[in-house]
C-alpha cells in the first residue's frame, strides 16, 4: 500500500527545523538527525541547552524561541530562511504538561497549557504554512500524544489540547497533501522525559527518549501519516477506546492505578 507521505530515503542535507529541541524527544530527534547528515535548526526557550546538544555540529542553527510569543517564531523562521532559503521539514515538538483532576482545577494553569499546546502550535502554523505553500513542497509534523485519543486520569486539560492537535493534523493533511506538502501526526505514549519525570502513577511501556526519537524518525522515513509508539501500548489504547465506556474506564483504572 502506498504511504500517505513520500518516504525519506536520505537525510543528507535535508533542512529540518525542530521547534522544541532543548530536551526529551525534540533533543534526541535533533541529535539523531544531525548524525544522519541533516541540516538541523534547533529552537527552544532554553537556547543554552540547544547549544549543548549541537556542540559538535557548528553548522547547526541554534535559535531562541517561545511558541507562545508569535513574534519569536516568525523571527526564528526569518533567520533560518536567510541562511537556508527554504525548509524541507518542520517538526513542532514543543509542549507542556501539568497533571490536573477535577477536584484541583486551576484556570490559570489550564490557560497556560492551552497557550503552549494549542495556541503555540497555531503560532507555528502561522509562521510556516505560507512558506511551505510558496515552496510547493516540504512537510510539517505535529507532536500530539496518546492522551488525545481518549480521556485519561490527571489529563483534564492536557488531554483535550492533544485531542485538538490530532484533529488539526488530520485537517492539515486533507488540505496540504494535494498541494504536495506532507503532514505527520506524532502520538507518543509514555516517554521518559522531563515532562513525565514527576508522574506518580504507573506509566505502561515507558520508553526512553532516544528510542522514541528513533521510532519517530523511522515513521518519517516510511512516509507514515500517523506515527505512534511504543506500539504495544498505543495499539492497546486505540483498541480499548472501541470498547463500551464501562469496560474502557475499568481498563484505564487498572492500567494506571488511578
Amino acid at each position: 500500500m502506498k504511504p500517505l507521505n513520500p518516504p525519506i530515503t536520505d537525510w543528507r542535507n535535508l533542512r529540518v527545523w525542530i521547534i522544541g529541541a532543548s530536551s526529551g524527544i525534540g533533543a534526541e530527534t535533533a541529535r539523531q538527525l544531525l548524525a544522519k547528515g541533516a541540516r538541523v535548526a534547533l529552537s527552544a526557550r532554553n537556547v543554552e541547552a540547544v547549544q549543548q546538544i549541537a556542540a559538535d555540529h557548528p553548522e547547526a542553527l541554534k535559535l531562541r524561541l517561545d511558541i507562545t510569543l508569535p513574534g519569536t517564531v516568525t523571527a526564528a523562521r526569518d533567520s533560518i530562511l536567510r541562511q537556508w532559503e527554504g525548509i524541507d521539514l518542520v517538526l513542532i515538538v514543543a509542549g507542556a504538561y501539568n497533571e490536573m483532576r477535577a477536584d484541583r482545577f486551576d484556570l490559570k494553569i489550564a490557560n497556560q497549557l492551552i497557550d503552549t499546546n494549542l495556541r503555540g502550535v497555531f503560532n507555528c502554523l502561522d509562521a510556516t504554512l505560507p512558506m511551505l505553500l510558496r515552496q510547493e513542497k516540504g512537510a510539517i509534523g505535529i507532536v500530539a500524544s496518546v492522551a488525545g485519543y481518549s480521556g485519561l486520569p490527571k489529563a483534564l486539560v492536557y488531554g483535550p489540547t492533544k485531542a485538538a492537535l490530532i484533529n488539526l493534523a488530520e485537517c492539515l493533511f486533507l488540505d496540504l497533501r494535494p498541494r504536495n506538502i506532507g503532514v505527520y501526526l506524532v502520538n507518543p505514549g509514555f516517554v521518559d522525559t522531563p515532562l513525565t519525570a514527576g508522574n506518580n502513577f504507573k506509566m505502561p511501556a515507558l520508553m526512553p527518549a532516544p528510542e522514541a526519537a528513533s521510532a519517530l524518525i523511522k515513521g518519517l522515513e516510511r512516509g507514515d501519516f500517523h506515527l505512534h509508539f511504543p506500539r504495544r501500548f498505543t495499539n492497546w489504547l486505540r483498541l480499548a477506546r472501541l470498547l463500551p465506556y464501562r469496560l474502557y474506564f475499568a481498563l484505564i483504572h487498572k492500567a494506571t492505578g488511578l
Side-chain angles (χ1 to χ4, degrees):
M1 185 179 296
K2 185 178 180 180
L4 293 178
N5 291 301
I8 298 174
T9 58
D10 190 352
W11 288 100
R12 286 175 296 179
N13 293 319
L14 276 185
R15 300 163 297 183
V16 182
W17 181 16
I18 301 178
I19 300 173
S22 61
S23 64
I25 296 174
E28 293 299 335
T29 300
R31 290 188 179 100
Q32 293 182 30
L33 290 183
L34 285 166
K36 288 176 177 286
R39 298 164 69 185
V40 181
L42 300 83
S43 59
R45 287 181 299 180
N46 187 347
V47 75
E48 291 78 14
V50 160
Q51 291 170 342
Q52 291 178 4
I53 292 163
D56 296 330
H57 298 272
E59 76 284 1
L61 306 183
K62 304 96 171 174
L63 303 155
R64 189 184 303 276
L65 174 156
D66 183 340
I67 62 172
T68 67
L69 302 174
T72 69
V73 183
T74 55
R77 177 207 61 197
D78 291 345
S79 178
I80 294 169
L81 291 179
R82 281 195 295 271
Q83 298 177 74
W84 287 356
E85 298 183 349
I87 301 172
D88 299 305
L89 173 62
V90 179
L91 288 175
I92 306 173
V93 189
Y97 169 76
N98 284 86
E99 68 175 49
M100 192 181 299
R101 306 196 79 165
D103 60 350
R104 293 291 186 272
F105 181 75
D106 186 315
L107 182 59
K108 180 179 179 180
I109 293 175
N111 281 326
Q112 289 171 349
L113 285 174
I114 293 168
D115 285 343
T116 300
N117 292 350
L118 188 52
R119 292 192 181 97
V121 173
F122 282 113
N123 290 337
C124 295
L125 293 181
D126 183 60
T128 57
L129 285 178
M131 172 201 68
L132 291 170
L133 290 167
R134 283 195 304 271
Q135 291 179 171
E136 298 183 332
K137 64 177 182 178
I140 188 163
I142 296 175
V143 175
S145 167
V146 297
Y149 288 159
S150 55
L152 294 173
K154 297 193 175 185
L156 192 66
V157 180
Y158 177 79
T161 65
K162 296 302 184 176
L165 294 185
I166 291 173
N167 187 286
L168 173 61
E170 293 168 350
C171 293
L172 283 171
F173 182 88
L174 292 169
D175 284 350
L176 295 180
R177 196 67 200 97
R179 306 286 294 272
N180 198 40
I181 298 168
V183 177
Y184 305 94
L185 166 63
V186 186
N187 282 323
F190 291 110
V191 179
D192 189 7
T193 70
L195 288 184
T196 60
N199 287 348
N200 59 357
F201 55 88
K202 291 188 292 183
M203 292 183 282
L206 182 67
M207 192 178 198
E211 290 183 19
S214 178
L216 189 159
I217 291 169
K218 288 177 182 177
L220 297 173
E221 291 172 345
R222 289 191 301 266
D224 293 347
F225 165 71
H226 184 201
L227 289 60
H228 56 99
F229 45 83
R231 293 206 169 194
R232 67 184 185 279
F233 174 62
T234 56
N235 280 332
W236 173 87
L237 193 59
R238 293 170 74 197
L239 288 172
R241 191 62 189 88
L242 300 176
L243 295 171
Y245 274 116
R246 184 183 301 275
L247 293 177
Y248 170 75
F249 290 147
L251 283 172
I252 293 300
H253 283 306
K254 182 176 181 180
T256 62
L258 296 171

